[in-house]
Amino acid sequence: MGTLKTFAEMSPLLPGLGFLLLVGWLVAAATSAGTYPCSSSPVNESAVCASVKSASQEMLLEIAHGEASPCSLTFGQYACAQSAWLQDLQDDFLISLYSCLTPKPVSAMDLEYSVLFFSKYDAKKLVSALTVFSQQFSHVPLSLEWNMVFINGLWEKVLQVPDIDSPFVLSQWAHKGLQPFLLDPEAFACLHAKNVLCETFRMIVAALNGIYSDLPVEEQRNLYTGIKYYLIQDGSNQKCYSAADPGLNSTAWFKNYLGSFLEHATVGDLQLFGDEPTLQKFARDPVNMQMASNLTLLQETAVYYTLLLTSGPGFPLSSLPDRFVCYLSPSAVSDLSQDDALSLAQRISKNCPLNLTHRGLTRERVSSSLTTEELQVASSLVRKFEHFPPAILRALGQAAVGLSISDIENGISDKDLEASISALGEVRGWNAEQSSTIINKLVSSGYRILDGQSLAKLGSLVAGLNSSTLRSLSPEVILEAIKLPEFVQQMVTLPSALKTIFVEKIFSSVGHPVDLVKYIPDALASYIPKSLLVFGEEKPNIQDLNSKMWTREQAAMFFSDVIKTEPDFSRLSQSVLQGFTCAAANEMEAERFQELAKVMKKKNVKLGEDELSCLVKMVTLHGIPKDLDSYPKDLLLFLSPSDYAATGSCRQYFANIGKANLDVLHRESSQRKQLLLEALACLEIPGTRVDEENAEILGRLVCDLGGEYIRSSGGNLLKQLSQCEFFLPNQEEAIRSVISSGNTTFGPPVMWSAFTLDELSGLIPVFDHSILQKIPKNALSLWLKNFAHDSPLSREQLGTVVEELLPTRHKRADGCPPDKQITEMVLNNDLMPIYYTPEELHACLKNVSLENHLSQILTYPFSIQQLAVLKRNLDEKYSDGYPESLLPKLGPLIAFITPEDVSRWNITSADMLAVLLKNEPLDDQASAIIKRYVGLGNALNATALNAIGTKYVCLLNAAELNMIDSNSLKLASLNPSACSEVTKDILYAKAKRAFSDQHYLPAYYELIEPYLGGAPGVDLRALSKDNVNMKVSTLATLRRDSLLNLTLSEVQGLLGMNLRDLEKWQNKSPIREWVQMQKQSELDKLHVGLTGGTQEGYMNIVTPKFQSPSSASLGTVAMTLHLLPTLLISFLMMLVLS
């Protein structure tokens, strides 16, 4: 246990996740083997084999020829056999041996046997055997303990191979022989135990570096962890380096001892490898610089490496590799001359695309997502100049994004601005204030958009156009501009309101849905109203449909047409296939449908619950297929392990379920609860403790495990839990308990790093103050800086983290502290919130104009108290009400707005309404905003209706609803099914008129379906003849009186393929009342399990329960009275009359 003691002594030097994982691995190995399973002491064969029963050559030959089982001999018998006899074994023998050994526990003698066994193998034959082993590795049940036993002997063998110091020989062993065993980082611990010298280790790294690019990322990471362990295992932070030792004084250390594995090194790791002066020597070494400039480093590591290069004296920026100019800090460019600033700006423009990737980051950077450092560097370069003639603006290139509003308004003349439009239009990352300021100045100085060329010339600045300017342009100008590829690229970052206008203009120009699909840029396709995707007789080109990204609702409009005309479903895009509808499927032959479903699996098409339910019915129409793995995984959510039996085991079934989109089923649904119970039974999980292997199989089902499972399982479930959408209170409490204990691979919060937080980011909203306060402040800050933008957390949740970084006791600020003056650089820093208490923020904002920076800073994670200060600042400055120009910039401040505030706003356009409602205010605030908009005489046009959307449409009163024009409704996307009866009735009548010209087309149902909650019975009867395959969820939202008046055959006609789903809804109103009105004998003929109907000889009397004016939305209530049999009634009447 000496090695473990050494690690314990080292623990203060090893902060963060890497060390904790490493200790976990080593403890696991030590615990399972009894002692640390590697040694360098020679093996005494006589002593080791004295108690081993010897095996004959004949027995080994029988095993070699497949006439006897490899398991008939023990590991000791193989190890003690004569060397010559082992050479008869086949190359696949190691696979068989490994399979024989892994079910058995490891003993201390097995370590000796391993060294002895491999020492007797001929080196060339062993490489061949290991090569076969590598090829079959995925089929062998691996064991950490036996892996360590094998590697103990293999290392000993390798280190004794002649010419092992030859790069070719070593690379052959690393690539063909040892690679599978090295994937456990513990394998490198053996090198320490065997006292392997740095020179030998350098050659091992060089050999592994040769196969680096062929390895999956996870294997690269595991190998790096092992390399890191070797380099830090003795407690020295300068392992394998000594300036005084000629054999160890090379500053090309990164190249020698990390190679390409440097891609996985964190800043914390680098600081373990050397102190800062030493790391600076390493960073500046030309060999290291050349290598690093060709690697994809972690972002924080690239920034740190650049800082090492530029922070000390004697390093001119002209010597900085092009790759690293993208990671410069503002301090590195503060002392540049104007000429040097322009030279650097040109290098940045050339080498720093916004889609620059960093290892560890999965988010594609959109054009507005410049980092704080990038904005600050750009601002620093721009500040070298007071005036900006065209030559300067062109030379600044991408760095022009650092222009302040003051620079734009005062530093650029109107003439120079117009002359520089082409250059400024190529700059990416303008914020809304910058682009709108440039455009407004340009337009006011006389710039006219007369044709497509003059519009396209604006480039990235087009986002600064206001809606009225864009609406004033002719459709022909828009159509000309979008035919220019360089302009189409700018569509991606446009505000939604502008995208909608572009769509309207393009349609006005082309006039037909087929041409609209042909010419519409990809970035605008999802903004086409559904009613403009009804094609009639003329059908669009399949390639045109495939090349666009559609919403599911859009794709449903043309899905039926597509599958009728397309012979090869594999040619259809994922986006088109997601439009699957039951009505279209019902018209297909079974064989074609099976083909379609399998293509949907290959294209990873995501469907909703209703679509999947229909898909299951069609797939299983003629029995359960035996190749269910060929169909979409989500399909399995609607089947059972027994259905899957012909395809695979229940473990396979639940492994697939764990990877499926479990959120298709409601969290509390009986179906989802049953899946979890069956999974626990299948995996034979005893009690409430789930191990890591079973957690991996359960996948998303872990999200449904109760608090008792989370507590009992320790940290085994954290990886899966971090992917869950939300938690119940008892789950949250259990997660906090597990995290607080520190008994997980992540360790106690006090030792966490930014990378730990990144791995657990999905759980951060669950952390309470007691956990957050223990996390190192620098780890929280670094996480906010480098990872928060990629996390699933909302701005509000990030604000909770910011609160933890602020002093707990806020001093009353008499004035703004001198070191906290709010400058341009501060306003460009997305970590601004962590530097100011609410009191300081209020004091420091007194003389600062926020209007030009408000949109930008409100994306920062301010706490609730800080946001209240920002609102207070605006109220003090604009005591008579906010100017119209400020309203689009309010963002999260909408949460602090009162109806009184809104009453003083000038909401003059639907675009302004859209911007305000996009912030998702509470219903009372939204209602006040809508009423103010309408009260100022504005129309509820398509833009306004889309802004109101399904979320707020129920807030409209009858007067407002009656203002809606049917043509506007035609271009809107609403679903009023959750609204009052009055709202549904009014909107249905308008929708019916809006879509009347498409009534004869199959797509009509897709258009009218959201409004059917207001449909009268006569319209529903007509639909029942059109094979619409209505969802039962839609049936449940129909007007009560309309539904209750439908006959059984009419409901059957409406539901079509979905009739079987009626059973699940039969106990929910109003379907329950409708079932009670039907004869049970008739319901039985449907064979879908409906019960509760009227028995023979009984009759139903349905009487409406009239509504009071205040309860109009409750609808009518049916009351069923069971009377005496008809014969008895007749008898009594005759008796009375006589």
Side-chain angles (χ1 to χ4, degrees):
M1 300 298 286
T3 301
L4 290 177
K5 180 179 178 183
T6 301
F7 267 72
E9 292 168 352
M10 288 167 55
S11 60
L13 301 172
L14 296 165
L17 176 62
F19 168 65
L20 294 166
L21 290 174
L22 191 54
V23 169
W25 282 322
L26 292 175
V27 169
T31 303
S32 59
T35 59
Y36 189 69
C38 279
S39 67
S40 59
S41 56
V43 174
N44 185 329
E45 182 171 359
S46 299
V48 169
C49 296
S51 59
V52 176
K53 181 181 179 181
S54 61
S56 66
Q57 183 178 12
E58 290 74 17
M59 187 62 178
L60 283 165
L61 283 171
E62 287 179 10
I63 291 171
H65 296 150
E67 297 167 3
S69 168
C71 300
S72 59
L73 296 182
T74 66
F75 194 21
Q77 288 176 299
Y78 286 115
C80 295
Q82 292 186 31
S83 175
W85 300 353
L86 294 179
Q87 311 317 313
D88 294 323
L89 295 171
Q90 301 297 314
D91 285 346
D92 62 355
F93 171 72
L94 284 184
I95 296 175
S96 303
L97 176 63
Y98 206 89
S99 299
C100 293
L101 295 177
T102 48
K104 302 174 183 177
V106 172
S107 72
M109 292 302 297
D110 289 319
L111 302 171
E112 309 285 333
Y113 295 150
S114 174
V115 174
L116 196 56
F117 174 72
F118 287 115
S119 70
K120 294 181 177 183
Y121 243 100
D122 173 75
K124 290 184 178 178
K125 182 172 179 61
L126 181 55
V127 169
S128 298
L130 288 170
T131 301
V132 174
F133 185 90
S134 300
Q135 293 168 349
Q136 296 294 323
F137 197 70
S138 60
H139 304 295
V140 178
L142 298 180
S143 155
L144 172 61
E145 295 82 0
W146 281 104
N147 191 38
M148 293 303 296
V149 168
F150 269 48
I151 199 65
N152 184 52
L154 286 169
W155 272 134
E156 202 70 32
K157 177 70 176 181
V158 170
L159 296 173
Q160 294 170 5
V161 169
D163 299 325
I164 194 61
D165 56 348
S166 158
F168 172 77
V169 174
L170 186 57
S171 179
Q172 187 179 39
W173 275 90
H175 195 182
K176 295 184 178 179
L178 297 180
Q179 182 194 338
F181 298 97
L182 297 181
L183 297 181
D184 281 320
E186 301 86 332
F188 288 84
C190 281
L191 294 177
H192 171 51
K194 294 178 183 300
N195 299 316
V196 170
L197 299 177
C198 290
E199 179 61 21
T200 304
F201 183 75
R202 183 185 66 77
M203 291 190 295
I204 292 172
V205 171
L208 293 173
N209 195 57
I211 61 171
Y212 179 84
S213 60
D214 299 327
L215 300 173
V217 172
E218 191 62 32
E219 293 182 15
Q220 293 174 359
R221 191 178 293 120
N222 288 341
L223 284 169
Y224 166 71
T225 304
I227 291 170
K228 181 175 72 170
Y229 167 65
Y230 174 84
L231 293 170
I232 64 175
Q233 42 74 30
D234 65 353
S236 166
N237 67 341
Q238 293 176 9
K239 175 74 175 178
C240 290
Y241 176 76
S242 172
D245 186 339
L248 295 175
N249 65 357
S250 171
T251 54
W253 193 90
F254 292 147
K255 173 70 173 177
N256 293 338
Y257 296 104
L258 294 177
S260 298
F261 294 94
L262 179 63
E263 289 191 326
H264 298 281
T266 67
V267 172
D269 292 344
L270 295 185
Q271 291 168 342
L272 292 176
F273 299 146
D275 55 32
E276 195 150 301
T278 303
L279 289 175
Q280 195 163 60
K281 289 180 190 175
F282 294 169
R284 292 186 175 187
D285 181 275
V287 174
N288 288 335
M289 267 204 297
Q290 176 64 30
M291 178 190 75
S293 65
N294 290 310
L295 297 178
T296 305
L297 302 180
L298 294 164
Q299 185 179 15
E300 66 153 3
T301 305
V303 171
Y304 182 64
Y305 197 108
T306 307
L307 192 63
L308 289 172
L309 291 173
T310 60
S311 59
F315 189 88
L317 286 183
S318 58
S319 300
L320 187 70
D322 288 341
R323 179 87 172 193
F324 292 112
V325 299
C326 308
Y327 305 104
L328 283 165
S329 62
S331 60
V333 302
S334 59
D335 297 327
L336 296 180
S337 67
Q338 288 189 348
D339 287 344
D340 288 341
L342 290 179
S343 175
L344 179 60
Q346 289 167 350
R347 292 181 68 195
I348 289 173
S349 297
K350 179 181 178 182
N351 296 292
C352 305
L354 284 175
N355 60 355
L356 187 68
T357 55
H358 307 100
R359 193 164 286 271
L361 298 183
T362 55
R363 174 179 59 97
E364 275 190 31
R365 296 173 61 198
V366 295
S367 63
S368 59
S369 64
L370 293 168
T371 67
T372 294
E373 285 79 9
E374 287 168 332
L375 285 171
Q376 290 178 340
V377 166
S379 295
S380 295
L381 294 175
V382 166
R383 279 200 300 274
K384 307 295 179 187
F385 307 90
E386 291 183 8
H387 300 286
F388 301 90
I392 296 294
L393 289 173
R394 283 195 294 270
L396 281 172
Q398 179 57 36
V401 77
L403 288 166
S404 67
I405 301 301
S406 176
D407 291 331
I408 296 167
E409 292 177 339
N410 306 314
I412 311 175
S413 70
D414 292 350
K415 180 181 177 183
D416 288 346
L417 182 62
E418 183 166 350
S420 305
I421 282 302
S422 294
L424 295 176
E426 293 177 3
V427 175
R428 297 141 303 160
W430 297 115
N431 63 40
E433 285 80 14
Q434 288 173 309
S435 59
S436 61
T437 302
I438 293 173
I439 290 294
N440 290 340
K441 181 170 182 172
L442 192 65
V443 172
S444 64
S445 67
Y447 185 81
R448 295 290 176 264
I449 303 173
L450 302 174
D451 53 27
Q453 292 289 340
S454 55
L455 176 60
K457 190 176 180 181
L458 297 178
S460 58
L461 294 170
V462 71
L465 285 170
N466 60 47
S467 297
S468 57
T469 301
L470 187 57
R471 286 187 189 280
S472 69
L473 302 180
S474 73
E476 290 71 29
V477 168
I478 302 292
L479 189 62
E480 182 186 348
I482 64 164
K483 290 179 181 178
L484 302 171
E486 64 275 13
F487 182 70
V488 169
Q489 295 174 11
Q490 310 301 334
M491 300 288 100
V492 177
T493 57
L494 291 181
S496 297
L498 293 189
K499 288 182 177 179
T500 301
I501 297 171
F502 266 103
V503 171
E504 293 173 8
K505 291 285 185 179
I506 295 168
F507 184 70
S508 297
S509 179
V510 299
H512 193 281
V514 170
D515 293 325
L516 178 61
V517 169
K518 180 178 181 179
Y519 291 113
I520 198 81
D522 294 355
L524 302 180
S526 61
Y527 287 81
I528 299 177
K530 290 193 300 182
S531 60
L532 299 185
L533 291 171
V534 179
F535 300 114
E537 294 299 320
E538 187 179 353
K539 307 300 180 189
N541 185 289
I542 294 295
Q543 282 69 37
D544 290 337
L545 290 173
N546 273 337
S547 64
K548 308 292 191 298
M549 290 301 297
W550 307 104
T551 65
R552 183 183 299 167
E553 291 74 20
Q554 287 176 314
M557 298 302 299
F558 49 76
F559 182 80
S560 179
D561 289 337
V562 168
I563 61 170
K564 286 176 183 175
T565 58
E566 177 53 58
D568 183 3
F569 294 143
S570 65
R571 289 174 49 195
L572 300 177
S573 70
Q574 180 194 57
S575 181
V576 169
L577 288 169
Q578 69 173 338
F580 171 86
T581 64
C582 224
N586 202 21
E587 297 175 2
M588 297 176 67
E589 295 177 0
E591 189 175 335
R592 284 272 288 164
F593 184 84
Q594 304 276 353
E595 180 188 339
L596 173 66
K598 291 179 179 181
V599 168
M600 293 171 88
K601 160 71 183 288
K602 292 175 184 174
K603 299 284 178 105
N604 195 27
V605 177
K606 301 297 180 187
L607 300 175
E609 181 178 6
D610 291 321
E611 290 75 25
L612 284 167
S613 178
C614 175
L615 198 66
V616 167
K617 296 182 197 113
M618 294 294 290
V619 166
T620 60
L621 200 57
H622 301 295
I624 306 291
K626 296 182 179 179
D627 58 343
L628 280 173
D629 284 345
S630 301
Y631 296 89
K633 273 190 177 63
D634 294 350
L635 211 66
L636 299 179
L637 295 169
F638 298 83
L639 298 171
S640 66
S642 59
D643 294 328
Y644 188 79
T647 301
S649 67
C650 73
R651 287 179 73 87
Q652 273 180 272
Y653 170 79
F654 283 110
N656 285 323
I657 288 287
K659 295 170 187 170
N661 179 19
L662 199 61
D663 291 331
V664 163
L665 302 176
H666 297 295
R667 175 74 177 258
E668 296 303 314
S669 69
S670 58
Q671 209 168 346
R672 188 157 158 172
K673 290 178 180 177
Q674 184 63 27
L675 279 173
L676 180 61
L677 291 174
E678 290 178 340
L680 295 174
C682 166
L683 299 177
E684 299 178 350
I685 294 174
T688 55
R689 186 181 184 282
V690 181
D691 60 28
E692 287 188 28
E693 183 183 353
N694 283 331
E696 197 71 35
I697 292 172
L698 287 172
R700 296 293 299 277
L701 276 172
V702 165
C703 300
D704 292 7
L705 290 172
E708 66 278 11
Y709 282 91
I710 296 171
R711 278 195 179 85
S712 302
S713 305
N716 295 341
L717 306 180
L718 293 182
K719 176 183 173 184
Q720 285 75 25
L721 288 170
S722 65
Q723 306 299 315
C724 302
E725 295 290 328
F726 71 95
F727 301 103
L728 299 175
N730 75 320
Q731 290 177 308
E732 292 186 347
E733 198 175 318
I735 291 169
R736 287 192 286 268
S737 174
V738 170
I739 291 289
S740 298
S741 73
N743 296 325
T744 72
T745 53
F746 301 101
V750 72
M751 293 186 68
W752 286 359
S753 68
F755 272 84
T756 317
L757 286 166
D758 187 44
E759 290 198 59
L760 293 174
S761 60
L763 297 179
I764 290 177
V766 177
F767 298 167
D768 58 11
H769 176 67
S770 67
I771 293 175
L772 288 170
Q773 69 175 350
K774 293 174 185 174
I775 301 171
K777 304 295 185 189
N778 62 340
L780 283 170
S781 299
L782 194 60
W783 178 78
L784 279 170
K785 179 179 179 181
N786 289 335
F787 297 101
H789 290 301
D790 303 297
S791 76
L793 275 65
S794 66
R795 195 211 57 76
E796 292 78 8
Q797 291 169 328
L798 292 174
T800 304
V801 177
V802 166
E803 284 189 63
E804 294 300 323
L805 292 168
L806 296 172
T808 51
R809 300 184 70 179
H810 301 164
K811 296 180 181 178
R812 189 174 185 84
D814 297 325
C816 182
D819 61 337
K820 295 200 173 184
Q821 297 293 324
I822 296 179
T823 63
E824 188 86 15
M825 186 171 287
V826 171
L827 290 168
N828 281 332
N829 189 346
D830 52 6
L831 291 184
M832 177 186 174
I834 71 175
Y835 303 129
Y836 297 88
T837 64
E839 292 78 10
E840 289 172 339
L841 187 62
H842 183 254
C844 295
L845 282 173
K846 285 191 180 298
N847 298 314
V848 177
S849 176
L850 280 182
E851 185 171 352
N852 291 332
H853 294 88
L854 196 60
S855 293
Q856 181 178 334
I857 68 171
L858 286 177
T859 64
Y860 301 165
F862 286 107
S863 66
I864 291 175
Q865 293 85 349
Q866 290 172 320
L867 286 173
V869 167
L870 294 175
K871 166 70 162 54
R872 179 179 162 192
N873 176 271
L874 294 178
D875 289 345
E876 290 171 354
K877 185 172 182 180
Y878 306 105
S879 55
D880 295 330
Y882 299 164
E884 189 173 349
S885 61
L886 191 67
L887 298 184
K889 306 171 185 177
L890 292 175
L893 294 185
I894 284 287
F896 298 86
I897 296 302
T898 66
E900 184 183 351
D901 292 328
V902 176
S903 69
R904 292 180 290 176
W905 290 356
N906 194 21
I907 309 175
T908 58
S909 69
D911 298 332
M912 182 71 74
L913 177 69
V915 170
L916 292 171
L917 295 181
K918 187 179 179 182
N919 297 308
E920 298 190 352
L922 298 175
D923 282 357
D924 288 346
Q925 295 166 320
S927 182
I929 291 170
I930 294 168
K931 289 188 186 307
R932 178 63 175 165
Y933 168 81
V934 173
L936 290 173
N938 296 299
L940 288 174
N941 56 23
T943 304
L945 291 176
N946 281 322
I948 291 167
T950 298
K951 183 175 178 64
Y952 299 120
V953 68
C954 298
L955 301 179
L956 299 177
N957 59 36
E960 291 161 347
L961 290 167
N962 284 317
M963 290 172 57
I964 298 172
D965 180 67
S966 293
N967 289 327
S968 296
L969 193 63
K970 190 173 185 177
L971 299 176
S973 179
L974 300 175
N975 187 338
S977 58
C979 298
S980 69
E981 290 291 347
V982 171
T983 298
K984 290 192 283 190
D985 288 350
I986 293 174
L987 287 178
Y988 174 76
K990 288 180 176 292
K992 184 179 178 183
R993 283 197 298 276
F995 305 128
S996 59
D997 59 334
Q998 295 161 325
H999 190 274
Y1000 64 95
L1001 296 170
Y1004 172 75
Y1005 179 73
E1006 298 295 333
L1007 295 171
I1008 200 69
E1009 190 216 24
Y1011 302 95
L1012 288 177
V1018 63
D1019 290 356
L1020 295 173
R1021 289 189 188 92
L1023 282 176
S1024 71
K1025 302 171 184 175
D1026 292 341
N1027 191 30
V1028 295
N1029 291 279
M1030 180 184 284
K1031 303 167 189 172
V1032 179
S1033 56
T1034 301
L1035 187 79
T1037 64
L1038 297 180
R1039 270 172 45 176
R1040 187 178 298 260
D1041 60 331
S1042 297
L1043 175 60
L1044 295 184
N1045 283 318
L1046 293 178
T1047 65
L1048 189 145
S1049 63
E1050 288 165 347
V1051 168
Q1052 187 175 7
L1054 283 171
L1055 295 179
M1057 277 288 298
N1058 296 316
L1059 183 66
R1060 287 189 344 206
D1061 293 340
L1062 200 55
E1063 182 191 9
K1064 301 174 192 172
W1065 290 73
Q1066 66 176 323
N1067 294 319
K1068 297 178 182 178
S1069 182
I1071 293 176
R1072 178 182 60 240
E1073 289 82 5
W1074 177 84
V1075 169
Q1076 290 171 347
M1077 293 178 60
Q1078 312 308 311
K1079 290 183 178 180
Q1080 185 60 48
S1081 59
E1082 294 299 313
L1083 292 174
D1084 291 341
K1085 293 177 183 177
L1086 298 178
H1087 305 291
V1088 294
L1090 294 177
T1091 59
T1094 305
Q1095 298 300 323
E1096 292 298 330
Y1098 288 75
M1099 54 190 291
N1100 285 334
I1101 297 178
V1102 181
T1103 60
K1105 185 175 181 179
F1106 293 102
Q1107 310 158 348
S1108 65
S1110 61
S1111 60
S1113 62
L1114 296 178
T1116 57
V1117 179
M1119 181 173 62
T1120 304
L1121 300 176
H1122 294 285
L1123 303 178
L1124 292 172
T1126 306
L1127 187 61
L1128 180 58
I1129 293 175
S1130 301
F1131 174 76
L1132 290 173
M1133 290 180 65
M1134 290 175 62
L1135 186 64
V1136 170
L1137 290 173
S1138 63

